[in-house]
Amino acid sequence: MCRPDTRVVLYACHELGDPVATLRLLRTRALDRGWVVHAELYDLCPLAARSTQRPQWQLVMKLLTQGDGQAVLVLKEAQIELERRHQLEVRRRLEVVGATAHFLLEPRRSRREVLRRGGG
């Protein structure tokens, strides 16, 4: 888990629905945990679009790579990538830059659990 003063980037991706409402929920949860919200970003595209094709996700990764944020908070992992193997790629990229991902509607899984579920 992250320390209370962790700088987080909030991210949402929606084909339909209201990303602003999702970001509001994420902001509330982040502040409840004592995290500092550095940025709030969202993409409006099909969930099937790869994270590499999403401009705002690319900005999330840039912020995390530069150290402006230490973690990303997302509603659920499918809002970044739908397929397990692609989710694992994202987790590896985050690990390389020293960042973590937190998913509000999913329990935290270890890397071993992700691999066991067909993520690699």
Side-chain angles (χ1 to χ4, degrees):
M1 282 310 280
C2 292
R3 294 184 329 264
D5 60 346
T6 299
R7 289 183 319 277
V8 297
V9 177
L10 310 181
Y11 177 75
C13 181
H14 284 280
E15 280 182 77
L16 307 168
D18 184 3
V20 174
T22 300
L23 291 172
R24 189 177 314 117
L25 174 64
L26 294 173
R27 183 181 334 105
T28 299
R29 294 299 156 77
L31 296 175
D32 287 347
R33 294 175 180 171
W35 297 346
V36 176
V37 176
H38 178 74
E40 300 180 25
L41 303 165
Y42 65 88
D43 283 303
L44 295 173
C45 64
L47 287 175
R50 294 288 317 274
S51 61
T52 55
Q53 300 168 331
R54 300 176 184 183
Q56 296 305 301
W57 177 257
Q58 295 308 305
L59 184 52
V60 168
M61 287 303 299
K62 182 178 179 181
L63 292 170
L64 297 173
T65 300
Q66 294 173 339
D68 295 325
Q70 300 159 312
V72 59
L73 180 60
V74 185
L75 197 60
K76 53 188 174 180
E77 197 163 16
Q79 286 203 346
I80 302 172
E81 285 284 1
L82 281 180
E83 294 184 34
R84 281 276 171 233
R85 64 189 172 111
H86 297 142
Q87 290 172 354
L88 184 58
E89 289 171 14
V90 169
R91 286 172 178 255
R92 286 182 181 140
R93 286 195 303 266
L94 290 169
E95 189 176 297
V96 166
V97 300
T100 57
H102 299 274
F103 307 104
L104 193 61
L105 298 181
E106 296 172 353
R108 181 135 172 92
R109 295 185 318 228
S110 70
R111 187 168 183 208
R112 184 178 303 147
E113 289 173 310
V114 171
L115 289 169
R116 228 184 0 244
R117 290 184 179 182

